[in-house]
Amino acid sequence: MKYGISFRDPTSETASELRERAAPLDSVVGKTIALMDIGKMRGDEFIDRLEQLCTERGIETRRYKKPTNTRVAPREMIKDIADNCDAVIIALSDCGSCTSCSTHDLNDLDKKGLAGVSVLTTEFQQAFESQKGAIGLDAAAVYVPHPLQNKTTAELHQWANVAVDKILRAIAHDTSRATALETV
């Protein structure tokens, strides 16, 4: 009697097609944007500047920080963002495991209807594209230079200055400043 041996491939299957992401907001006016810090060293300095730029434009933000960049966000954090925010900016991925985890976070929030964008360093563009394919989400990304850790605070702030418009356009069609005076 012959025994057949079968093996299973433990790697994830690549989706046959990409699901469209949640539509960008019509406008940022009156909306709250989640700024999710994935916990990479120095990423908070980039997000600090991004938050300041949003505030200057009249965009309300809420800050979140993952306990570690090598795991997906806690379910409670995903729920809080989905319950209290209209869109999400996830930053700043600059390695393989954090790119994978942040892409899963983006997917989880997208499934809850939030427009989102991931901010990554250029070195991990291919990893993000591969992860999108594995998850099956046509996710949005904005890329900044690599590496992150050896930059000065001024350089990280400059990256945010350069990237902010692309980041906001990834989550909303109208990113113009929203203030009470402008609506009078």
Side-chain angles (χ1 to χ4, degrees):
M1 173 184 237
K2 290 188 177 183
Y3 293 99
I5 298 175
S6 64
F7 293 96
R8 291 188 179 241
D9 183 352
T11 58
S12 64
E13 208 172 284
T14 299
S16 59
E17 62 182 52
L18 297 179
R19 170 178 60 82
E20 280 190 43
R21 68 186 186 105
L25 302 171
D26 289 332
S27 172
V28 292
V29 176
K31 305 296 184 191
T32 301
I33 309 302
L35 299 175
M36 182 193 284
D37 179 347
I38 69 162
K40 287 296 290 191
M41 183 176 70
R42 313 279 320 277
D44 58 334
E45 295 170 66
F46 176 88
I47 294 172
D48 289 344
R49 179 63 179 152
L50 194 59
E51 182 177 36
Q52 182 181 26
L53 293 166
C54 286
T55 300
E56 289 171 2
R57 294 167 187 224
I59 300 169
E60 184 178 338
T61 61
R62 284 184 70 150
R63 290 284 290 260
Y64 296 87
K65 184 169 183 170
K66 289 173 53 170
T68 177
N69 60 51
T70 59
R71 296 179 192 252
V72 295
R75 289 282 150 240
E76 301 80 28
M77 180 185 292
I78 296 293
K79 182 177 180 342
D80 190 292
I81 292 170
D83 289 348
N84 295 296
C85 300
D86 302 290
V88 62
I89 299 166
I90 300 177
L92 182 65
S93 298
D94 76 337
C95 75
S97 60
C98 67
T99 297
S100 177
C101 292
S102 64
T103 306
H104 281 278
D105 295 336
L106 193 61
N107 185 51
D108 289 344
L109 289 161
D110 184 87
K111 286 180 178 178
K112 294 184 179 298
L114 272 76
V117 62
S118 190
V119 183
L120 311 99
T121 64
T122 52
E123 188 74 16
F124 292 90
Q125 184 170 357
Q126 183 177 354
F128 181 72
E129 292 299 322
S130 294
Q131 194 60 225
K132 282 175 29 177
I135 291 171
L137 174 65
D138 190 16
V142 172
Y143 298 95
V144 296
H146 183 84
L148 166 69
Q149 281 77 20
N150 67 348
K151 301 302 178 204
T152 66
T153 299
E155 288 172 311
L156 294 172
H157 285 189
Q158 183 58 28
W159 288 5
N161 293 344
V162 171
V164 67
D165 289 327
K166 283 183 182 179
I167 292 168
L168 292 175
R169 280 194 307 272
I171 59 169
H173 297 295
D174 181 4
T175 61
S176 60
R177 187 177 176 145
T179 66
L181 294 176
E182 291 175 296
T183 59
V184 174

